[in-house]
Amino acid sequence: MTEHEAQPTAERDRAHREAGQDQPHSAAGEQPAAQENGAQVSTDGTSASSPEAAIPELVIISGMSGAGRSTAAKCLEDLGWFVVDNLPPALIPTMVELGARSQGNVARIAVVVDVRGRRFFDNLRESLADLDTRGVTRRIVFLESSDDALVRRFESVRRPHPLQGDGRIVDGIAAERQLLRELRGDADLVIDTSSLNVHELRAKMDAQFAGEEEPELRATVMSFGFKYGLPVDADLVADMRFLPNPHWVPELRPFTGLNEEVSAYVFNQPGAKDFLDRYAELLRLIAAGYRREGKRYVTIAIGCTGGKHRSVAMSEKLAARLAAEGVETVVVHRDMGRE
């Protein structure tokens, strides 16, 4: 091509560049708007005319591998939550932001995360701090289980623990429990699945999340027997072994604390009614603090030797007190019937 033939093309290019400079500019400090599918969109990706986005509610499901995270997630999915499994913690704020842009179509998000390394855990803490600064309502549900139960579950499916490496299953469980220790302490709700089947775990999740309106505080009052071990998901533990044991009264031994005669025997003992009154008063103080700190779930464990008489009777009375004061309360008798 000769220079004479190329000249018109160069002139046209120059004209196009000059025409581009004549396009109207945005006001000082404003970003020019782009067109995307016919809608005006700012350079930061948000709609220039969209209404203020509603921040979705967030639940983070975590806990021990084999403790039932997937079951808990499926339960929330059935309740209408938008569930994301195995989302990297660093992406949780992004997920919440996308939900906020859904124009109310994604109002509740549940994210399942597991912590398998220190760097992973640091990312989770940073994401939680970011969510707090944004004012996101978030809760942490932690699934717990005993070592024995976890070993049985892994052996039944013939799968290794994700952290055991060349060691044993118990080595992987110990490593994971150590990594999750801090997260468990920050959890709003801890569920011990050691003795729960799938249906019982779903029932617990339904009880906590199925209601349309979230109460200020929910309490689980659990009776148990010390000889069967402390409940690992208990926030508060009280010991009823300071009261005489109805087990040693032949006519009361076959019955439980649900029986009126057994309950009357327990509360006719010195100190029983005083304990109920003072412990209920203490729980009022603790409940007020829990509300201020945003904790919505509390498990109160009441123990005696076998979990059959004294702890059952006291749990029933205490639960009735809490319910009368506006605390949504569930009573669980963990060990009743084991003898």
Side-chain angles (χ1 to χ4, degrees):
M1 181 179 294
T2 66
E3 180 179 354
H4 177 73
E5 292 173 332
Q7 185 63 31
T9 302
E11 290 177 354
R12 285 197 301 270
D13 292 343
R14 187 183 308 110
H16 290 163
R17 288 196 298 271
E18 292 174 352
Q21 294 174 357
D22 292 336
Q23 295 296 325
H25 287 72
S26 302
E30 294 181 353
Q31 296 292 333
Q35 295 292 327
E36 182 177 321
N37 297 330
Q40 194 172 33
V41 180
S42 64
T43 55
D44 63 359
T46 60
S47 172
S49 59
S50 63
E52 183 177 354
I55 300 176
E57 183 181 357
L58 174 67
V59 166
I60 298 172
I61 300 174
S62 190
M64 299 295 295
S65 299
R69 292 189 307 247
S70 297
T71 299
K74 289 177 182 176
C75 181
L76 290 185
E77 190 172 26
D78 291 342
L79 294 174
W81 289 68
F82 185 86
V83 178
V84 184
D85 198 1
N86 292 329
L87 183 72
L91 297 180
I92 294 177
T94 302
M95 190 70 233
V96 173
E97 183 179 349
L98 292 174
R101 296 182 185 180
S102 69
Q103 299 181 347
N105 293 322
V106 182
R108 299 184 298 176
I109 298 174
V111 176
V112 183
V113 298
D114 55 46
V115 184
R116 301 188 183 185
R118 175 56 55 187
R119 187 174 182 181
F120 198 72
F121 183 60
D122 289 341
N123 289 339
L124 179 58
R125 288 192 298 182
E126 292 172 3
S127 294
L128 294 178
D130 186 8
L131 294 171
D132 291 339
T133 59
R134 299 187 189 190
V136 177
T137 301
R138 54 92 172 169
R139 289 168 287 173
I140 300 175
V141 177
F142 191 94
L143 280 301
E144 173 67 277
S145 195
S146 67
D147 288 0
D148 291 343
L150 293 176
V151 169
R152 288 196 302 270
R153 291 168 189 173
F154 277 106
E155 288 182 342
S156 67
V157 296
R158 298 184 179 181
R159 293 180 57 192
H161 188 279
L163 295 185
Q164 77 179 74
D166 295 330
R168 301 175 301 162
I169 292 177
V170 291
D171 298 326
I173 293 172
E176 185 177 33
R177 202 177 292 283
Q178 180 63 32
L179 285 173
L180 290 170
R181 189 178 304 278
E182 185 173 344
L183 181 62
R184 186 188 187 283
D186 292 336
D188 299 281
L189 174 63
V190 177
I191 300 178
D192 178 19
T193 67
S194 302
S195 58
L196 300 181
N197 58 36
V198 172
H199 305 292
E200 291 168 333
L201 175 55
R202 291 183 65 92
K204 278 184 171 286
M205 293 295 294
D206 285 340
Q208 299 295 342
F209 294 99
E212 294 183 359
E213 296 184 359
E214 192 71 22
E216 288 190 359
L217 183 67
R218 281 178 170 167
T220 298
V221 180
M222 176 188 300
S223 69
F224 73 96
F226 278 97
K227 69 180 182 179
Y228 300 113
L230 288 170
V232 298
D233 53 345
D235 297 296
L236 303 167
V237 178
D239 186 354
M240 296 298 102
R241 290 177 294 183
F242 71 93
L243 297 172
N245 192 348
H247 175 81
W248 303 115
V249 180
E251 58 270 24
L252 299 180
R253 181 180 300 176
F255 302 105
T256 71
L258 298 177
N259 179 269
E260 292 184 3
E261 294 182 1
V262 172
S263 181
Y265 174 87
V266 170
F267 283 96
N268 282 332
Q269 302 304 318
K273 293 179 181 178
D274 288 341
F275 172 85
L276 176 62
D277 293 338
R278 295 181 186 183
Y279 198 57
E281 183 178 354
L282 176 63
L283 291 177
R284 291 189 203 103
L285 177 65
I286 294 174
Y290 279 162
R291 292 186 179 102
R292 288 193 298 268
E293 294 299 316
K295 184 176 175 64
R296 301 187 181 188
Y297 312 99
V298 58
T299 298
I300 305 162
I302 308 294
C304 62
T305 302
K308 180 179 179 180
H309 296 112
R310 294 164 291 180
S311 62
V312 173
M314 187 63 71
S315 295
E316 290 289 329
K317 294 288 187 182
L318 183 61
R321 289 280 187 98
L322 293 175
E325 295 176 7
V327 178
E328 187 170 332
T329 308
V330 176
V331 185
V332 176
H333 300 301
R334 191 191 74 174
D335 299 323
M336 191 172 67
R338 294 185 67 171
E339 291 186 349

